[in-house]
Amino acid sequence: DVKVTQSSRYLVKRTGEKVFLECVQDMDHENMFWYRQDPGLGLRLIYFSYDVKMKEKGDIPEGYSVSREKKERFSLILESASTNQTSMYLCASSPSGTGYGYTFGSGTRLTVV
Amino acid sequence: KQEVTQIPAALSVPEGENLVLNCSFTDSAIYNLQWFRQDPGKGLTSLLLIQSSQREQTSGRLNASLDKSSGRSTLYIAASQPGDSATYLCAVIGIQGAQKLVFGQGTRLTINP
């Protein structure tokens, strides 16, 4: 089975800190995605990547950046964490091409205080 | 812009009942539709993937149907159990969407013993 691993289940950070959320997949998938999930707002796409060193903005990229130096790893970076970035963050991957589904990680619950 | 709607938002039924969860989407030009399950505080678990050329998929007590022309999908759960209690999310990958999943808000299901 494909595994998508997010390095932390829970994180507490202070306002203004630089925060790294790491995601690793083990099935050689080309596509990787970062979503955040908030009550009443559902899942919203932050950034995605189709290949190493490639990145595309999603629906809510402000305040975030990403890094994909290796195919299996996709990092989400909060440049200067703010309290409105308190959320559940979900990473996903999928093969390229049509006809394939997504596999999600177990999520990181980030609290910014 | 693709929009996905799930009705009802919440559902509570006694154990043993068969039930149907509904999903509708506004743009019928899709590659796939995927149903997920999410337990509180956890990531998303894929239940069923229906490709656009398919009408239904089955896994155990779960059956998902797709009517692309009308923009609808249903998830049928047979002989419900308390362990089925979770939030169920429907998501589509649109032909215009660059392989990005667009999610509904989910149906929160409670099965009462």
Side-chain angles (χ1 to χ4, degrees):
Chain A
D1 278 353
V2 177
K3 253 195 177 166
V4 177
T5 302
Q6 295 183 232
S7 54
S8 304
R9 287 297 312 279
Y10 301 96
L11 276 179
V12 180
K13 297 292 182 180
R14 294 194 180 278
T15 301
E17 276 194 71
K18 190 169 186 176
V19 180
F20 293 84
L21 303 184
E22 305 288 346
C23 176
V24 177
Q25 50 94 5
D26 66 359
M27 281 299 289
D28 204 36
H29 284 176
E30 287 76 18
N31 303 330
M32 295 188 77
F33 307 83
W34 276 106
Y35 286 83
R36 65 177 281 178
Q37 184 178 30
D38 301 286
L41 297 175
L43 280 105
R44 295 178 290 170
L45 182 63
I46 305 171
Y47 267 97
F48 58 104
S49 169
Y50 292 140
D51 203 347
V52 177
K53 297 194 185 294
M54 293 184 66
K55 60 184 179 184
E56 299 281 344
K57 293 180 180 179
D59 300 318
I60 52 163
E62 297 78 18
Y64 303 95
S65 63
V66 291
S67 172
R68 194 165 181 201
E69 296 296 320
K70 293 185 178 181
K71 191 174 186 179
E72 67 271 18
R73 186 180 297 270
F74 192 35
S75 302
L76 180 69
I77 304 159
L78 286 65
E79 297 291 344
S80 176
S82 64
T83 55
N84 63 14
Q85 293 178 310
T86 291
S87 186
M88 169 70 96
Y89 290 87
L90 292 160
C91 175
S93 73
S94 72
S96 64
T98 63
Y100 301 103
Y102 279 41
T103 300
F104 277 81
S106 55
T108 296
R109 166 65 68 180
L110 173 67
T111 302
V112 183
V113 297
Chain B
K1 181 184 174 184
Q2 179 74 268
E3 292 184 2
V4 180
T5 303
Q6 291 187 246
I7 296 173
L11 182 63
S12 180
V13 301
E15 180 178 4
E17 280 201 8
N18 303 323
L19 56 99
V20 173
L21 307 182
N22 296 294
C23 172
S24 62
F25 46 96
T26 54
D27 185 351
S28 62
I30 65 169
Y31 285 126
N32 306 317
L33 185 142
Q34 196 167 0
W35 282 94
F36 295 90
R37 168 189 173 134
Q38 186 176 31
D39 294 293
K42 302 289 180 62
L44 276 62
T45 300
S46 180
L47 298 173
L48 291 164
L49 172 71
I50 309 177
Q51 298 176 3
S52 62
S53 60
Q54 298 173 326
R55 295 300 299 265
E56 65 178 325
Q57 284 285 340
T58 298
S59 176
R61 294 182 294 109
L62 305 179
N63 175 276
S65 67
L66 173 64
D67 183 344
K68 203 172 64 166
S69 61
S70 67
R72 293 181 184 175
S73 176
T74 61
L75 179 66
Y76 175 83
I77 303 176
S80 59
Q81 303 170 358
D84 295 330
S85 298
T87 295
Y88 291 80
L89 292 152
C90 160
V92 298
I93 298 179
I95 291 173
Q96 299 298 324
Q99 296 186 42
K100 296 181 289 183
L101 268 179
V102 178
F103 283 88
Q105 293 283 338
T107 294
R108 189 172 69 253
L109 177 64
T110 303
I111 308 297
N112 302 302

